[in-house]
Amino acid sequence: MANFALMPSLAQPKLDLQEIRKHKAEIVRLEKEIDRLKDRLKSAQSKQLRTDITDRINEHQARIKKLKNILYPKPEKPPIKAVLTKPATTEAAPTQEALVQAAAEAAAEKKITYNLAVGVSTGLFAGATGVLGEVRLPLRIVFGPASLGLRAAGGYLQSASADLRYIPVCADAIFNFPPGWFSGVDNYVGAGLNYIALMSGRKQGTIGGEIFYGVESTGFGGIVFGELGYGLLRTGFSPSNRGVTVLVGYRAPLDL
């Protein structure tokens, strides 16, 4: 004897014309970005840099797949009108290849990598001249087209009048944008806080801040970058050192 049951069908929400155009434009942009990253991958010399580029390509391809599923949903299966109380056939066991593929996908979803990069920059920082060392940590957090990263930096600076010298430490949040946003190359915007750990007279300062915009490109086996911004170094007892930031630098990923 068979038990009859009707299965409800889920209606796919319809997209308006503006949403369709937006999704298609995003797909075109992501495909161009994938082509550009593939060109960079050919010239990348560092193993860690190749890993970073490959991860970004995979993220873009997954995003394209989701957008296409929204734009071109698969047709719904017709409702099942009858369900047999006793199955007529036995479900086929998954093949070895399918099991390996499923295991690889599960491992990829659980994998968390921390691709640290170290670098150095020189020029003007908050109106003071000097050199800074940095460590960057990209995060797997995305806001629209931008991905979030963190930076810790420190170095040696001298005021424009050369009467004060500083050893600052900085902590910044950086939003990395693909080419086509603000400029035709990889670029980023960021902001953060700084603290004068030591200065002339063996004194300590207080908390200041900085905002900046940067561009970067591959070169010399790593990343060459430049930054433009504005910053404030606060001593806590004398006039603050404030002014523009103009830095050029180089960084390379750590192969961990």
Side-chain angles (χ1 to χ4, degrees):
M1 178 180 291
N3 295 326
F4 292 90
L6 295 178
M7 299 292 291
S9 61
L10 299 176
Q12 181 72 19
K14 293 183 178 180
L15 301 176
D16 58 35
L17 184 59
Q18 184 178 1
E19 289 176 320
I20 292 173
R21 289 176 176 172
K22 178 182 177 182
H23 291 334
K24 287 185 176 180
E26 179 69 3
I27 289 173
V28 171
R29 186 190 69 79
L30 290 172
E31 288 175 341
K32 290 181 179 179
E33 174 65 4
I34 289 173
D35 291 339
R36 188 191 66 83
L37 289 172
K38 287 181 178 178
D39 290 338
R40 285 184 59 186
L41 188 61
K42 295 176 183 177
S43 60
Q45 299 178 2
S46 166
K47 177 182 176 182
Q48 189 61 57
L49 181 58
R50 291 195 299 270
T51 300
D52 292 344
I53 295 173
T54 301
D55 287 346
R56 189 175 296 181
I57 289 174
N58 291 337
E59 289 174 2
H60 290 341
Q61 289 175 337
R63 175 63 178 164
I64 289 174
K65 184 177 179 181
K66 289 181 179 179
L67 290 173
K68 287 185 175 180
N69 286 338
I70 295 173
L71 288 171
Y72 315 110
K74 295 180 180 179
E76 298 176 358
K77 295 181 180 180
I80 300 173
K81 295 184 178 180
V83 179
L84 298 177
T85 55
K86 294 183 179 180
T89 58
T90 304
E91 185 179 354
T95 63
Q96 183 67 24
E97 182 177 318
L99 291 173
V100 172
Q101 173 98 19
E105 291 176 354
E109 291 178 356
K110 293 181 179 180
K111 181 182 178 182
I112 300 177
T113 57
Y114 297 93
N115 301 321
L116 289 172
V118 296
V120 63
S121 60
T122 185
L124 283 170
F125 180 85
T129 58
V131 62
L132 296 168
E134 66 172 49
V135 178
R136 296 198 192 192
L137 172 63
L139 303 178
R140 299 294 186 249
I141 301 176
V142 178
F143 297 93
S147 59
L148 178 63
L150 301 178
R151 176 172 68 180
Y156 177 83
L157 301 172
Q158 179 176 279
S159 65
S161 59
D163 58 341
L164 289 175
R165 295 173 176 80
Y166 314 100
I167 297 179
V169 291
C170 311
D172 302 311
I174 297 176
F175 293 89
N176 299 283
F177 291 85
W181 291 83
F182 306 116
S183 72
V185 297
D186 287 319
N187 54 114
Y188 56 88
V189 295
L193 301 175
N194 64 65
Y195 175 75
I196 301 177
L198 190 64
M199 59 181 296
S200 300
R202 297 185 178 276
K203 298 178 180 179
Q204 291 180 325
T206 184
I207 295 175
E210 61 272 353
I211 57 174
F212 49 89
Y213 167 76
V215 295
E216 59 185 31
S217 180
T218 55
F220 307 103
I223 302 293
V224 179
F225 65 91
E227 285 184 18
L228 178 65
Y230 187 84
L232 169 67
L233 295 167
R234 299 179 62 198
T235 64
F237 60 89
S238 64
S240 301
N241 200 104
R242 68 183 69 199
V244 298
T245 294
V246 182
L247 296 171
V248 293
Y250 171 85
R251 73 176 186 274
L254 291 175
D255 291 329
L256 298 177

